[in-house]
Amino acid sequence: MEREKSVTLQKYTHIPDMHYTLFELNNLVRQTIEQTLSEEYWVEAELSEARQVNGHCYMELVEKDDLHNTPVAKASAKCWRGTWSRILPKFMTVTGAQPRAGMKVLMKVYPQFHEAYGFSWIVTDIDPTYTLGDMARRRQEIVRRLKEEGVFDLNKQLPLPLFAQRIAVVSSQTAAGLGDFCHQLTHNGYGFAFTIELFTATMQGEGVEQSVVAALNDIYGRADQFDCVVIIRGGGATSDLSGFDSLMLAENIANFPLPVITGIGHDRDETVADMVAHTRVKTPTAAAALLIDNLKAVADRIDTAARRIHDNTRLLMQRETQRLDRITHLIPTYLSLVTTRQTSRLDTLSSRLATAATAAVERQSVRLQMAEGRIRPAVDRRMTAERHRMEMMSQRLAALDPQLLLSRGYSITTLNGKAVTDSSQLSPGDVVETRLAKGRVEAKTVAVYPS
């Protein structure tokens, strides 16, 4: 048994004559890669991460299956400061955006394997036209889907309220354009009063989509308190507009129940959010000017209507005054004619009324005499019957006088002013009063005997 254990131990503790340290093996891999892949290669991939540290750019690359959108390849890539400072400005000038997660890129790379840090691709160039084409394709795809869903023009069909003064603003609290927007609305030259409420959101970099949608959801919960929504950015770089080319954000704006005004870009930059909004303007100050002009147009319409009402009223008053003057001239003649006719009619009517009144008085006099002859005997009979009834009631009341009962030897016992008719009404110790024919007696109850 001990021998078997010894053989087994020797088997597992035997060290081969030929072996490598990890550094040696990694060094061998590095040399193999450098000798085998000695050229630079153009590779297309999707960025799953892109971060800049101390001027360098560190990226994670991924390729996804077209059918299932699952990763089929992954790799790390680095672009050193000197190269990145040359590539980035060119990339941003062409695409209008910084490299970010979800963006497709075409890069020139060469392989590098480091004994301590492992394998990565080193980026020497990026073709921005490839990314620009992919961005345009994705934007076109979003627009196509919105049109297929029938929502692309929904927000544009909403009327901007005539008195749009309650404004919900979606912007960053520190955005330079926000101050310009509020100042222009508050200090407009017409003295219009606007109510502004800020719903803060991230307006550049990652998280724009989720943040702006969250702000819109907050406004939606209080939609009856606002007339329109203004999304303003102002002061940010053009390269940060990519967050507004989002299907989810575009669907939220297109379906929003209030008109949405966007002022997030510049002259040459139009995002999908701009396309589906009710109105797109260049800057936050232009958004403020739009709202002021809208209210000014309403005020002008009111002033015009007021002038028309004033002019029409004055013309009508003139016409009626002329009619009144003509009628005034005709009144004396008309009154004279009417007076003559009415006088004749009154004479005839007075004669008829006098005759009718005399006949009515005579008829009523006869009726009163007849009624008097019938009423007097009936009244006499009723009075006799009532006197007899009163005498009978007096006799009954006299017979019910308690004093008569007391004079016959009866008495009345009371407790607290109420007559006692049952021994159960009393308790030992109660003070009762007994009324006699002559005088009263107070006594304390000693015992109570039920009947």
Side-chain angles (χ1 to χ4, degrees):
M1 187 68 177
E2 293 296 329
R3 183 181 178 186
E4 291 178 359
K5 290 183 179 179
S6 176
V7 172
T8 303
L9 182 61
Q10 291 177 3
K11 176 181 179 182
Y12 286 100
T13 57
H14 174 69
I15 301 176
D17 293 335
M18 184 62 182
H19 65 275
Y20 297 92
T21 65
L22 178 60
F23 177 82
E24 290 173 338
L25 185 60
N26 282 355
N27 184 263
L28 180 60
V29 171
R30 178 179 62 80
Q31 293 177 16
T32 302
I33 290 176
E34 289 178 352
Q35 294 171 6
T36 306
L37 301 174
S38 59
E39 300 179 3
E40 293 185 341
Y41 306 91
W42 283 100
V43 59
E44 60 179 32
E46 179 180 324
L47 294 175
S48 62
E49 182 182 347
R51 53 192 176 88
Q52 299 182 51
V53 180
N54 297 327
H56 309 298
C57 184
Y58 298 89
M59 294 166 275
E60 294 296 327
L61 308 180
V62 65
E63 181 180 349
K64 296 179 180 179
D65 187 310
D66 292 335
L67 296 178
H68 306 289
N69 200 35
T70 56
V72 296
K74 291 183 179 180
S76 297
K78 302 180 181 69
C79 188
W80 305 124
R81 182 190 297 116
T83 305
W84 187 245
S85 63
R86 172 179 55 82
I87 291 176
L88 181 60
K90 177 183 176 183
F91 185 87
M92 291 175 57
T93 300
V94 175
T95 65
Q98 290 191 7
R100 57 179 175 81
M103 185 177 286
K104 288 191 175 182
V105 292
L106 181 62
M107 298 178 171
K108 180 183 282 189
V109 298
Y110 67 86
Q112 183 181 77
F113 187 87
H114 191 279
E115 290 83 353
Y117 303 110
F119 179 85
S120 64
W121 293 103
I122 305 302
V123 179
T124 60
D125 199 2
I126 299 178
D127 183 358
T129 58
Y130 176 88
T131 302
L132 181 65
D134 182 70
M135 291 171 62
R137 181 191 59 77
R138 293 181 61 183
R139 180 181 298 182
Q140 291 172 358
E141 177 64 18
I142 292 174
V143 171
R144 184 189 64 78
R145 287 190 57 178
L146 292 171
K147 289 183 177 180
E148 285 183 354
E149 294 171 5
V151 301
F152 188 80
D153 294 317
L154 277 185
N155 200 257
K156 298 180 187 298
Q157 296 171 7
L158 296 176
L160 183 64
L162 295 178
F163 298 93
Q165 295 173 277
R166 303 174 301 168
I167 316 301
V169 178
V170 178
S171 182
S172 169
Q173 197 164 14
T174 58
L178 176 62
D180 297 338
F181 175 82
C182 295
H183 182 272
Q184 187 158 344
L185 281 188
T186 304
H187 300 89
N188 66 85
Y190 307 105
F192 298 145
F194 292 90
T195 302
I196 306 168
E197 183 169 347
L198 174 64
F199 292 81
T200 58
T202 300
M203 303 304 289
Q204 59 185 15
E206 295 186 8
V208 169
E209 178 186 43
Q210 293 80 2
S211 183
V212 175
V213 169
L216 290 175
N217 288 337
D218 291 341
I219 299 171
Y220 181 83
R222 298 166 50 197
D224 58 335
Q225 301 177 20
F226 302 101
D227 298 315
C228 67
V229 178
V230 177
I231 302 176
I232 53 178
R233 183 169 163 270
T238 305
S239 60
D240 293 323
L241 289 174
S242 56
F244 295 94
D245 287 327
S246 155
L247 177 62
M248 182 172 69
L249 177 56
E251 287 178 333
N252 272 266
I253 293 175
N255 288 285
F256 208 73
L258 297 175
V260 177
I261 301 169
T262 58
I264 57 178
H266 304 281
D267 283 336
R268 68 181 183 86
D269 304 302
E270 184 179 31
T271 65
V272 177
D274 291 320
M275 295 179 188
V276 299
H278 180 279
T279 305
R280 178 246 180 174
V281 294
K282 301 175 185 177
T283 61
T285 52
L290 172 69
L291 294 171
I292 294 171
D293 291 344
N294 178 68
L295 209 55
K296 178 62 169 60
V298 175
D300 291 343
R301 290 176 60 184
I302 293 174
D303 291 342
T304 300
R307 285 194 298 270
R308 289 179 179 175
I309 292 173
H310 177 269
D311 294 342
N312 291 338
T313 302
R314 182 168 53 81
L315 180 60
L316 183 61
M317 290 293 292
Q318 291 176 351
R319 292 176 180 175
E320 292 302 319
T321 300
Q322 294 173 358
R323 288 183 60 192
L324 185 59
D325 290 342
R326 291 195 298 269
I327 291 173
T328 302
H329 286 33
L330 295 174
I331 284 177
T333 303
Y334 179 76
L335 288 178
S336 175
L337 179 61
V338 170
T339 300
T340 302
R341 292 178 179 175
Q342 293 300 324
T343 300
S344 175
R345 292 180 62 188
L346 286 173
D347 291 343
T348 302
L349 184 59
S350 297
S351 175
R352 291 178 181 175
L353 287 175
T355 303
T358 300
V361 169
E362 290 177 354
R363 287 196 300 272
Q364 292 302 324
S365 178
V366 172
R367 291 179 63 188
L368 286 173
Q369 291 174 2
M370 293 175 64
E372 184 179 0
R374 290 194 300 270
I375 290 174
R376 187 175 296 280
V379 171
D380 291 341
R381 288 194 300 273
R382 184 62 179 271
M383 290 295 291
T384 300
E386 291 299 323
R387 279 195 297 271
H388 178 68
R389 183 168 170 270
M390 291 293 291
E391 290 174 358
M392 295 294 293
M393 292 180 67
S394 296
Q395 293 174 6
R396 291 179 182 176
L397 288 173
L400 296 174
D401 188 354
Q403 194 63 37
L404 291 177
L405 295 175
L406 295 176
S407 63
R408 295 174 186 167
Y410 294 96
S411 65
I412 300 174
T413 300
T414 62
L415 175 64
N416 297 326
K418 297 182 179 180
V420 178
T421 61
D422 191 337
S423 62
S424 64
Q425 296 178 246
L426 300 176
S427 302
D430 289 343
V431 176
V432 297
E433 181 182 87
T434 303
R435 180 179 174 187
L436 307 173
K438 294 182 179 181
R440 292 178 173 80
V441 176
E442 284 190 358
K444 180 180 288 187
T445 304
V446 177
V448 178
Y449 303 99
S451 55

